[in-house]
């Protein structure tokens, strides 16, 4: 398949309302995770990365009426607005819109929100974004557990390769809702404090909410370095409704297929962006899969210590960070890492540093046995 290029992007999160602000926070080791005490939630105390409603509304007023949209819609619309440049106007009649979310507006269930009950549907979420900007083509909705954000990039690339459109806007987002909190709490999967991916003393995830958007194009931007999506592969090992394969089979197959499709070898990967949720089973599974693929010496980090697990947005946010790591030659600290708590060796990035980078591998895994691998490459066109 032909490569596609990651052009303009935007990240809306507790540590920044654009990509530049987010990258600055990553460089400085600033986390969006905070302790929250809300009696109506389950549990009553939890650590998470949550966007303040007041700040969100202040930013949204520049482009629309905050009262007309749900919190998630505002986050995702801001992400799309951040990548639509007046100087480089897109033909929205011919631009694809790919939307990723695991739960959408599920926070509207059970409450008198003032919004039509249909807004809880993922299709309605797509409709709101489409109509706000005036996209002509019907949005494609991607919802496949926690690989959704990365899978949306894969779906966009495949549709572009099939000739459906030359450009695509990919946007992803999810909230920290009572439904999500109670669900992970029922698994006893929530961390007591800020999560510690791959650490010996890790004890679960921290949740987060964020949105991100990226413009994909078949054409690279001229006279500058670009980052191309050169391969993507997914595999489902169907191990368990929530537990990953203990041998990392699905992730192993995803990575191996991405290598096979691209012709890239394990030794060429300069940076590995892991899923790294900080649950005992996920981190162990990833360590096994990475070692099976010959990636045990590759610098690796998890960004969950900054954002928490943002569900359907996580793999897209982390792919955008991968892009900028390649362009800027930066490796970000795997925040909150203490001492290794997995059975196989990994080269955890413990301090921010600069390094020449050409290839990055982004992986993601999710409930139901879903797994994904993306290979990104820096190309100089100037």
């Amino acid at each position: 398949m032909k490569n596609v290029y990651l052009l303009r992007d935007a990240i809306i999160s507790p540590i920044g309302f654009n990509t530049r602000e987010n990258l600055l926070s990553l460089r400085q080791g600033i986390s969006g995770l905070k302790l929250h005490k809300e009696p109506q939630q389950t549990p009553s105390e939890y650590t998470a990365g949550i966007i303040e409603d007041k700040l969100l509304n202040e930013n949204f007023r520049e482009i629309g009426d905050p009262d007309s949209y749900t919190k998630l819609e505002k986050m995702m619309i801001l992400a799309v607005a951040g990548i639509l440049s007046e100087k480089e106007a897109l033909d929205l009649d011919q631009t694809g819109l790919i939307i990723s979310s695991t739960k959408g507006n599920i926070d509207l269930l059970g409450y008198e929100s003032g919004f039509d009950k249909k807004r809880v549907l993922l299709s309605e979420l797509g409709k709101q974004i489409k109509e706000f900007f005036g996209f002509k083509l019907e949005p494609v909705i991607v919802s496949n557990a926690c690989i959704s954000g990365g899978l949306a990039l894969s779906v966009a690339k495949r549709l572009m390769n099939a000739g459906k459109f030359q450009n695509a806007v990919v946007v992803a987002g999810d909230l920290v809702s009572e439904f999500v909190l109670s669900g992970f709490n029922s698994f006893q999967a929530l961390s007591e404090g800020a999560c510690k991916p791959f650490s010996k003393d890790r004890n679960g995830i921290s949740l987060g909410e964020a949105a991100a958007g990226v413009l994909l194009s078949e054409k690279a931007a001229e006279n500058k370095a670009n980052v191309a999506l050169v391969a993507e592969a997914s595999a489902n090992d169907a191990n368990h409704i929530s537990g990953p394969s203990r041998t990392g089979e699905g992730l192993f197959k995803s990575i191996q297929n991405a290598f096979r499709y691209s012709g890239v070898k394990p030794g060429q990967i300069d940076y590995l962006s892991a899923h790294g949720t900080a649950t005992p089973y996920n981190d162990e599974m990833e360590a096994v899969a990475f070692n099976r693929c010959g990636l045990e010496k590759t610098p690796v980090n998890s960004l969950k210590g900054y954002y928490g697990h943002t569900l359907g947005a996580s793999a897209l946010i982390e792919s955008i960070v991968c892009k900028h790591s390649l362009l800027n030659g930066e490796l970000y600290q795997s925040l909150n890492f203490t001492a290794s708590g997995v059975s196989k060796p990994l080269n955890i990035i413990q301090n921010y540093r600069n390094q020449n980078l050409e290839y990055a591998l982004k992986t993601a895994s999710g409930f139901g046995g879903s797994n994904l691998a993306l290979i990104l490459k820096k190309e100089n066109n100037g």
Side-chain angles (χ1 to χ4, degrees), residues 231-236 247-267 269 271-275 285-296 298 300 346 360-365 370-375:
E232 17 73 47
S234 59
N236 192 304
T247 62
E249 194 63 29
L251 185 56
F252 170 76
K253 288 181 177 178
S254 298
I255 296 171
Q256 291 297 100
N257 284 335
F259 284 150
R260 181 164 60 87
Y261 298 152
S262 64
V264 175
K265 306 297 183 184
I269 300 297
Y271 163 51
L272 171 56
S273 175
H275 191 52
M285 176 277 290
E286 285 194 278
V288 171
F290 295 154
N291 273 259
R292 290 180 66 187
C293 292
L295 296 166
E296 65 275 9
T298 305
V300 57
L346 291 176
L361 173 64
K362 169 68 204 138
T363 64
S365 300
S370 55
N371 296 274
L372 176 77
L374 307 173
I375 295 179

Side-chain angles (χ1 to χ4, degrees), residues 15-35:
I15 60 172
F17 268 69
N18 55 51
T19 302
R20 180 186 61 80
E21 291 177 356
N22 276 265
L23 295 179
L24 181 61
S25 293
L26 293 178
R27 292 184 189 112
Q28 296 177 347
I30 296 173
S31 172
L33 301 181
K34 296 180 180 179
L35 180 66

Side-chain angles (χ1 to χ4, degrees), residues 8-229:
R8 299 188 295 270
D9 53 64
I11 301 173
I12 310 297
S13 81
I15 60 172
F17 268 69
N18 55 51
T19 302
R20 180 186 61 80
E21 291 177 356
N22 276 265
L23 295 179
L24 181 61
S25 293
L26 293 178
R27 292 184 189 112
Q28 296 177 347
I30 296 173
S31 172
L33 301 181
K34 296 180 180 179
L35 180 66
H36 296 268
K37 299 181 180 181
E38 300 176 28
Q40 74 271 25
Q41 301 282 13
T42 303
S44 59
E45 293 188 5
Y46 58 95
T47 300
I50 295 180
I51 295 175
E52 295 180 10
D53 290 336
K54 181 180 179 181
L55 185 59
L56 177 63
N57 289 336
E58 287 175 356
N59 280 268
F60 194 83
R61 283 191 185 95
E62 298 179 8
I63 60 173
D65 176 16
D67 295 332
S68 298
Y69 298 92
T70 69
K71 182 176 185 178
L72 180 61
E73 290 163 3
K74 286 181 282 194
M75 290 161 50
M76 296 178 79
I77 287 170
L78 280 172
V80 175
I83 63 177
L84 295 181
S85 168
E86 294 180 1
K87 295 180 180 179
E88 301 176 72
L90 283 176
D91 180 1
L92 294 185
D93 289 352
Q94 301 297 324
T95 300
L97 176 61
I98 317 296
I99 294 172
S100 163
S101 183
T102 62
K103 296 295 180 284
N105 285 315
I106 200 167
D107 58 309
L108 302 183
L109 288 178
Y111 298 95
E112 292 299 326
S113 65
F115 292 100
D116 190 305
K117 292 182 179 180
K118 292 195 302 183
R119 290 284 266 274
V120 77
L121 302 175
L122 289 176
S123 58
E124 286 295 310
L125 174 63
K127 179 181 177 182
Q128 293 299 321
I129 298 172
K130 173 194 172 185
E131 293 184 349
F132 186 95
F133 294 100
F135 286 90
K136 181 179 180 181
L137 301 175
E138 286 300 310
V140 176
I141 310 296
V142 177
S143 185
N144 187 4
C146 296
I147 72 169
S148 297
L151 190 62
L153 291 174
S154 175
V155 169
K157 178 183 176 182
R158 289 168 185 258
L159 289 172
M160 293 165 72
N161 278 197
K164 299 298 183 181
F165 30 76
Q166 289 187 330
N167 301 302
V169 169
V170 177
V171 58
D174 264 311
L175 297 176
V176 175
S177 65
E178 184 175 352
F179 178 90
V180 173
L181 277 167
S182 61
F184 278 97
N185 189 53
S186 70
F187 291 145
Q188 298 181 325
L190 291 178
S191 174
E192 295 174 358
C195 64
K196 301 178 179 181
F198 299 106
S199 298
K200 187 175 183 179
D201 54 345
R202 71 187 187 278
N203 61 5
I205 73 168
S206 299
L207 291 168
E209 60 186 23
V214 63
L215 173 63
L216 295 184
S217 178
E218 293 181 342
K219 297 181 180 179
E222 296 180 354
N223 302 318
K224 62 187 295 186
N226 285 268
V227 171
L229 176 57

